Amino acid sequence: MFPEIDAGAFSGPPAATAIFTTVLTEGPVSRVALARRLGLSSAAVTKAARPLIDLGYLHELAATERSGPGAGRPASPLAVRAEREFFLGVKITADEVIGVVCDLRAQVQASARRPLDDPDVDAVLTEVGRLTDDLFGAFPGDRTRVHRLGLALSGDIDRSTGLVRYSPFLHWRDVPLGRLAAQRTGLTVTVENDVKALTAAEHWFGEGVGAESFALVTVGTGIGCGLVVNGRLVSGSHGVAGEIGHLTVDATGPDCHCGGRGCVESIAGTDAIVAQARHRTGRPDLTIAEAVGLARAGHEEVRRVFTRAGGAIGCAIAAVANLVGPTRIVVSGEGLAAYDLFDSHIRTSFERQAFGAAARCPLSIRPLPFEEWARGAAAVSIQSLVVP
Amino acid sequence: MFPEIDAGAFSGPPAATAIFTTVLTEGPVSRVALARRLGLSSAAVTKAARPLIDLGYLHELAATERSGPGAGRPASPLAVRAEREFFLGVKITADEVIGVVCDLRAQVQASARRPLDDPDVDAVLTEVGRLTDDLFGAFPGDRTRVHRLGLALSGDIDRSTGLVRYSPFLHWRDVPLGRLAAQRTGLTVTVENDVKALTAAEHWFGEGVGAESFALVTVGTGIGCGLVVNGRLVSGSHGVAGEIGHLTVDATGPDCHCGGRGCVESIAGTDAIVAQARHRTGRPDLTIAEAVGLARAGHEEVRRVFTRAGGAIGCAIAAVANLVGPTRIVVSGEGLAAYDLFDSHIRTSFERQAFGAAARCPLSIRPLPFEEWARGAAAVSIQSLVVP
C-alpha cells in the first residue's frame, strides 16, 4: 500500500523533521500555520511535506476553511496516518518484561508480559525475543508495518548508542543492549532510561504536548524525574539529570545508599518506607503492602512514615519548580498506588516550599499503570523515526 | 564612519541573528564553518552577513587559510568590530548605582558609581540619569555610538516589557522602569533581573561561552542562580527560575522569610550568618565583617556558622548538578569575599551530594567585583541589539 522504507528510514531535511514533529504531536495543522510557526515559506512547507505524504506518514484532510480574507486557496490541514507504522515498546524490570504495540500516535494496540527470573544478558534477550513474538501474536494489525522496538530500563543509558552503561538492578555494566536486541529481533532498536522514556511519551503524546518546559516525577523504589526545558529533554552534560531522588531535604536525615545524607529516596523510596515501618512496628518482615494496609487502618506510627515521605517528595518537587519553573509537573509511578496516603502531604509541602509564583505550577498527581512504562519505550522508538 | 542605525536597530532574518551571535560570542569564524554549524548554505551565509558588514558590525579578516584540499577560495573569517557600538550597564542596589561602559564584546571601557539614599522611583531615575552623565564623561570613546542602556536589579522583572513586577529591597511593585528610564535618558533601555543579567554575561562573554548548559550561583544577601539549559536562559513558566536560595536542605532548620523551612538562604544568606554569629557570641551588634574577622581568627563557634553555611550552599549546588547537569557551575557573589571560610565546605558538601557522574561537573568558585553586575546589565543590552 505504501512505498517500502528501509529500517534506517526517514531522514529528511530539518524542515521535514519539524513538520513531521508538529503534525504528529499537535494534530492536524494547516500549511499556513506550519509556515508561520516554523518560520518557513509556504513553498518550503509544501516541498518538505511532499516526501512525508508520498511515504504515507502524512495526508491532507479535506479543505475545511479558507486561510483568510482574500486568500485564493482553501487550507487543507496536514494530519498523521496513525496506522502507517506500528512500534513495539518493552520495559525491562528486575522480574518481568512488559510490552506493548503502539501506532504512530502512541496509542496502545496490544500488550503482553513475561516473567524474568534471570538477570543474565542472554536470558533477558531471550525473554525480550519471546515477548516480541507474543506481541506480534496479540497484535491484530499488519505485522509488516512493524520495524522498530524501543527498550526502557532504569539506570545509566546512552540513548545515542543503545549502550546500558550501568543498570543497578540487573547488575549490568556496559552492555550494548541496542545492538544485541537488534541482532536477536531483526528490528531497529532504541534503548532509553525508563524515566526519560516516560517523559518523552508525556512530552509528545500526553500532558506535556506543546509545553516549552515540563517535569515528570516518578515515585516508587526509586524516585526519578524527567525534565523538558526550552523545548527539549534535559540529558545532563555529565550523563546525569533529573536525579530528584538524591536532593538533600534533611541535613540530619538518614544516610543514603548513594553516599549522601537525607536524600529524598532515603526517606520516601519504597525500601526506606518499609524499613521505617518495620522499625516503628517492630515487625521485621513487614511488606510495603502491609505497611500501606496498617497506615490506611489508622496506625499512627506508620501513618507518620508516609506523612514524612510525602513531605520529602513535596520538597523535591518544589525544588524542581523553584529551579526550572516548568509549565506543569506530573507526579506518578507505582508508589502512587498508595496515593491516598501521600497526596495531601505532597501538596502541603510543595505549597510551603515553592517560592512565590512557582506555587502556581499545577501538579497532576496520578497512579501509573505498568504498561505506561512500555508505552514510553514505544514513544522513544517513534521519536527515532521522526527525528533521526 | 558607519551608516546610522536607529535605536530599534538591527532586525535581520533569523540567519543573520544566528551569524551575528556566533561571531560575537565565539570570535572569528569562517563562512564555511558558519554554514556547517548553522545548517545553512554558503550562499545563505554570504547573503545574511552582508547587511551586518555594511552596517559595520562585522568585517572580514584577511584570508588566512584555504578551506580544504581542492577548495578554490581562501577562507576569510568574519569577525566583530568591538568598537562599532558601546553600551551602558547599570546595577541598582539598595544604596548605590554602579555603571560601566562596554564595547560590543562587553569589555569595560569606563566605570562610575553614585550613592543612592532614597528608594523612591523618581529619585532612583534621577541618580541613574546622573550616573549616565558621569559615564559619558568618563568614556574616552565616541559618545555618538552609544544608543543603549541596560539596567539590572534583584527582584521579579519582566525583561520583555521592562517592568519591575516586584523589588523587595526598593519596595517597588509594578514599576515600568524601562519606559521611565528611556524617557529620562533618551536611550533604548533593557531591564533584567541582576542574576539573570550576570548569567547572560557569563554565557556570551565568560566561562559559559559555547556551553549547552551552564549555571551561575551567586552568594550574598540573597542566594541566586542563573541557568542556561539547552542553549537558552531558563526563565520559568510562572516567572520563577533559579531560586536556589529557597531549596530546603534541612527539614529541621530555621524558618525562612519566604514561608518555607530550612531554606539555603535561611542558613547561608548574609543576614542568616550574622544572626547566627550574634547568637553564638552573645554580641547583638556584630556585623558581617566582624563575624568574618572572628572566624578567621579561629573563633570556633563562629567558624561553625560558616561551615554550616558552606555545607548548605554545597547541597544546593549539588541539587542543580543532579537535576539539570550543567557543563560547569560558577559560584560567585559578594559573599565570596569570605571565600577562604566557605570554599572547602562548599566543595565537600557538593561532592557528597552530587549523584554519580554529576560530581564531575567543575565548580569555579571566585569572588565577584561589584562592577561585574553592571557589566551583566550591559551584556543584556548587547543581546537586545543582536537578538531583537
Side-chain angles (χ1 to χ4, degrees):
Chain A
M1 176 178 174
F2 301 115
E4 260 325 294
I5 51 169
D6 65 68
F10 171 69
S11 63
T17 297
I19 290 168
F20 199 172
T21 307
T22 305
V23 175
L24 176 59
T25 58
E26 302 187 25
V29 191
S30 73
R31 286 190 173 85
V32 173
L34 280 169
R36 197 183 318 120
R37 180 96 68 87
L38 304 174
L40 297 168
S41 67
S42 289
V45 170
T46 297
K47 184 179 168 199
R50 176 51 49 200
L52 291 166
I53 295 170
D54 291 344
L55 287 166
Y57 287 110
L58 301 186
H59 64 136
E60 276 182 83
L61 298 183
T64 51
E65 43 161 0
R66 294 191 171 258
S67 55
R73 293 200 307 166
S76 305
L78 290 173
V80 156
R81 275 194 209 275
E83 75 290 4
R84 170 61 182 89
E85 189 165 336
F86 298 92
F87 301 80
L88 305 185
V90 171
K91 154 93 168 180
I92 303 170
T93 76
D95 53 13
E96 204 176 19
V97 285
I98 299 141
V100 294
V101 186
C102 288
D103 67 16
L104 188 51
R105 302 211 61 235
Q107 298 168 112
V108 175
Q109 312 292 308
S111 64
R113 51 208 302 168
R114 296 187 74 90
L116 194 64
D117 43 33
D118 182 353
D120 176 73
V121 175
D122 203 64
V124 171
L125 284 167
T126 299
E127 288 308 325
V128 167
R130 287 178 181 150
L131 183 69
T132 62
D133 291 342
D134 294 350
L135 289 167
F136 277 122
F139 175 49
D142 180 353
R143 290 177 48 160
T144 67
R145 292 202 210 151
V146 180
H147 304 290
R148 285 168 189 262
L149 162 66
L151 300 174
L153 67 166
S154 80
D156 181 1
I157 314 285
D158 182 351
R159 175 172 171 168
S160 65
T161 58
L163 180 72
V164 178
R165 284 204 207 93
Y166 178 47
S167 162
F169 71 95
L170 293 172
H171 312 291
W172 289 1
R173 279 193 189 272
D174 296 321
V175 172
L177 182 63
R179 183 167 58 74
L180 296 172
Q183 284 165 1
R184 186 73 59 128
T185 62
L187 299 166
T188 299
V189 177
T190 53
V191 187
E192 180 57 291
N193 167 277
D194 54 355
V195 177
K196 288 183 178 165
L198 207 54
T199 307
E202 284 292 333
H203 186 213
W204 274 39
F205 304 107
E207 292 198 52
V209 169
E212 266 291 281
S213 64
F214 167 78
L216 174 80
V217 173
T218 59
V219 177
T221 308
I223 295 177
C225 175
L227 281 173
V228 170
V229 177
N230 287 330
R232 278 159 50 203
L233 192 71
V234 178
S235 53
S237 306
H238 304 280
V240 172
E243 283 294 349
I244 194 177
H246 299 283
L247 304 189
T248 307
V249 291
D250 187 349
T252 57
D255 288 338
C256 182
H257 62 82
C258 75
R261 193 181 305 142
C263 295
V264 178
E265 206 165 290
S266 74
I267 296 167
T270 306
D271 290 351
I273 290 175
V274 170
Q276 292 167 76
R278 285 175 179 174
H279 177 70
R280 302 285 184 114
T281 57
R283 290 171 52 183
D285 300 326
L286 199 75
T287 64
I288 182 68
E290 288 164 346
V292 169
L294 284 174
R296 284 189 179 141
H299 190 298
E300 273 309 316
E301 291 276 300
V302 178
R303 285 186 79 84
R304 264 202 286 279
V305 172
F306 285 93
T307 301
R308 187 180 178 209
I313 295 168
C315 281
I317 294 170
V320 173
N322 291 347
L323 276 182
V324 301
T327 309
R328 62 166 49 246
I329 301 177
V330 173
V331 187
S332 197
E334 65 274 19
L336 270 291
Y339 178 75
D340 51 313
L341 298 171
F342 276 130
D343 179 44
S344 69
H345 306 297
I346 292 176
R347 288 185 192 277
T348 303
S349 153
F350 171 77
E351 281 158 21
R352 191 187 66 230
Q353 292 303 145
F355 184 73
R360 286 188 219 141
C361 177
L363 302 188
S364 305
I365 305 183
R366 53 177 160 89
L368 184 76
F370 232 94
E371 277 76 13
E372 281 295 295
W373 291 100
R375 181 171 169 265
V380 172
S381 179
I382 295 169
Q383 290 187 328
S384 76
L385 170 76
V386 176
V387 185
Chain B
M1 178 175 174
F2 300 116
E4 259 326 294
I5 52 168
D6 67 67
F10 172 69
S11 64
T17 297
I19 290 168
F20 200 172
T21 306
T22 306
V23 175
L24 176 59
T25 59
E26 303 188 22
V29 192
S30 73
R31 286 191 171 86
V32 173
L34 281 167
R36 196 184 318 122
R37 179 99 65 87
L38 303 173
L40 297 168
S41 67
S42 290
V45 170
T46 297
K47 185 179 169 199
R50 174 53 49 202
L52 292 165
I53 294 170
D54 290 345
L55 286 166
Y57 288 110
L58 301 187
H59 65 136
E60 276 183 83
L61 298 183
T64 51
E65 41 159 3
R66 297 195 166 256
S67 56
R73 293 201 307 165
S76 304
L78 290 173
V80 156
R81 274 195 210 273
E83 74 289 3
R84 170 62 182 88
E85 189 166 335
F86 297 92
F87 302 80
L88 305 185
V90 171
K91 154 94 171 182
I92 304 170
T93 77
D95 53 12
E96 205 177 18
V97 285
I98 299 142
V100 294
V101 186
C102 289
D103 67 16
L104 187 51
R105 302 212 61 235
Q107 298 167 111
V108 175
Q109 311 293 308
S111 65
R113 52 210 299 168
R114 294 187 74 91
L116 195 64
D117 41 33
D118 182 353
D120 177 72
V121 175
D122 204 63
V124 171
L125 284 167
T126 299
E127 289 308 324
V128 167
R130 288 180 181 147
L131 183 68
T132 62
D133 290 342
D134 293 350
L135 288 168
F136 275 123
F139 174 49
D142 180 354
R143 289 177 52 161
T144 68
R145 291 199 210 153
V146 180
H147 305 288
R148 285 167 189 261
L149 162 65
L151 298 175
L153 67 167
S154 82
D156 182 0
I157 314 286
D158 183 351
R159 173 172 171 168
S160 65
T161 59
L163 180 72
V164 178
R165 287 205 206 91
Y166 178 48
S167 161
F169 71 96
L170 293 172
H171 312 291
W172 290 1
R173 277 191 191 276
D174 295 322
V175 173
L177 183 63
R179 183 166 58 73
L180 296 173
Q183 285 166 359
R184 187 72 60 127
T185 63
L187 299 166
T188 299
V189 177
T190 52
V191 187
E192 180 57 291
N193 167 277
D194 54 354
V195 177
K196 287 182 178 166
L198 207 53
T199 307
E202 284 291 333
H203 186 213
W204 275 39
F205 304 108
E207 291 199 52
V209 169
E212 266 291 283
S213 65
F214 168 77
L216 174 79
V217 173
T218 60
V219 177
T221 308
I223 295 177
C225 175
L227 280 174
V228 169
V229 178
N230 288 330
R232 278 159 49 203
L233 193 70
V234 178
S235 54
S237 305
H238 304 278
V240 172
E243 284 294 349
I244 194 178
H246 299 281
L247 304 188
T248 306
V249 292
D250 188 350
T252 57
D255 288 340
C256 182
H257 62 84
C258 75
R261 192 180 304 142
C263 296
V264 178
E265 207 165 288
S266 74
I267 297 166
T270 305
D271 290 351
I273 290 176
V274 170
Q276 292 168 75
R278 286 175 177 173
H279 177 72
R280 303 285 184 113
T281 57
R283 291 170 51 182
D285 300 325
L286 199 75
T287 64
I288 181 69
E290 288 165 345
V292 168
L294 284 175
R296 283 188 180 142
H299 190 296
E300 272 309 314
E301 291 276 302
V302 178
R303 284 187 79 84
R304 265 203 285 279
V305 172
F306 284 94
T307 301
R308 188 179 177 210
I313 295 167
C315 280
I317 294 171
V320 173
N322 291 349
L323 277 181
V324 302
T327 309
R328 62 166 51 245
I329 301 177
V330 173
V331 186
S332 198
E334 65 275 18
L336 268 292
Y339 178 76
D340 50 313
L341 299 171
F342 276 129
D343 179 45
S344 69
H345 306 298
I346 293 175
R347 289 186 191 277
T348 303
S349 155
F350 171 78
E351 281 158 19
R352 192 187 66 229
Q353 292 304 143
F355 185 71
R360 285 188 219 139
C361 178
L363 302 188
S364 304
I365 306 182
R366 53 176 160 91
L368 184 75
F370 232 94
E371 278 75 14
E372 282 294 296
W373 290 101
R375 181 170 170 264
V380 172
S381 179
I382 295 169
Q383 290 187 329
S384 76
L385 169 76
V386 176
V387 185

